[in-house]
Amino acid sequence: MESLFLIKVNDLKILTEIINFLERSSNLIKEVRDEKDLQKIISMNIGAITGKIMCVENMPCMEIDIFKDGEGVEVKLNRRFYEGFCQAYAIRAIFKEIKTAVLHVKNGVSQEEINAISLLAKELDIPTVVFDMLNGKVVYYYNPKEQKFLENF
């Protein structure tokens, strides 16, 4: 099956790798029930680190869900639309050299959720992807560097 995700996330290689993995492995992803397990499965398949702890002088340490080559992704499984954005924003603010994104993996997603996620992604200027496990594809994508977004509704 050819990927429906046609827009390459130029500025975040890790996000492109994650999307490709999710689309290839949608049947496996449907079986995952725990967010930490999802993070581990994704990390193992793209050669990333799960739960990377980052520290900087005079600041509290922070955990990044998935980390690879200076890029971090906050991964949320069936969570509320606003979750993950604060962490991604804080990581970007404190660790300026780390590029961050938010990935929501959901077992069905409403247009209202997409609208809210889209608003947050654009307001905070954070690359964001929503993957719907029910149909095995990306249903929302936002890349601020390209000023592009994709909605499959």
Side-chain angles (χ1 to χ4, degrees), residues 1-6 20 23-24 135-138:
M1 178 174 120
E2 190 172 327
S3 172
L4 296 176
F5 185 76
L6 302 174
N20 290 334
E23 288 185 337
R24 281 191 325 268
N135 61 28
K137 67 178 185 176
V138 170

Side-chain angles (χ1 to χ4, degrees), residues 57-79:
E57 191 174 331
N58 297 320
M59 294 283 182
C61 294
M62 294 188 70
E63 181 179 341
I64 302 172
D65 291 342
I66 297 178
F67 182 80
K68 181 180 179 182
D69 300 329
E71 300 176 348
V73 179
E74 283 302 310
V75 178
K76 301 300 164 199
L77 176 63
N78 291 319
R79 295 287 198 99

Side-chain angles (χ1 to χ4, degrees), residues 70-141:
E71 300 176 348
V73 179
E74 283 302 310
V75 178
K76 301 300 164 199
L77 176 63
N78 291 319
R79 295 287 198 99
R80 293 188 175 181
F81 69 90
Y82 52 81
E83 294 188 48
F85 287 99
C86 285
Q87 292 117 311
Y89 190 80
I91 291 164
R92 184 175 74 189
I94 293 171
F95 306 99
K96 301 216 181 287
E97 71 281 1
I98 297 176
K99 298 175 185 174
T100 59
V102 174
L103 168 68
H104 274 268
V105 177
K106 299 183 85 54
N107 192 15
V109 60
S110 70
Q111 185 61 51
E112 290 80 12
E113 288 175 296
I114 293 296
N115 294 343
I117 288 169
S118 176
L119 178 68
L120 288 173
K122 291 173 187 174
E123 282 291 319
L124 297 172
D125 206 31
I126 295 175
T128 303
V129 170
V130 178
F131 183 82
D132 187 352
M133 293 186 292
L134 290 180
N135 61 28
K137 67 178 185 176
V138 170
V139 294
Y140 177 78
Y141 154 82

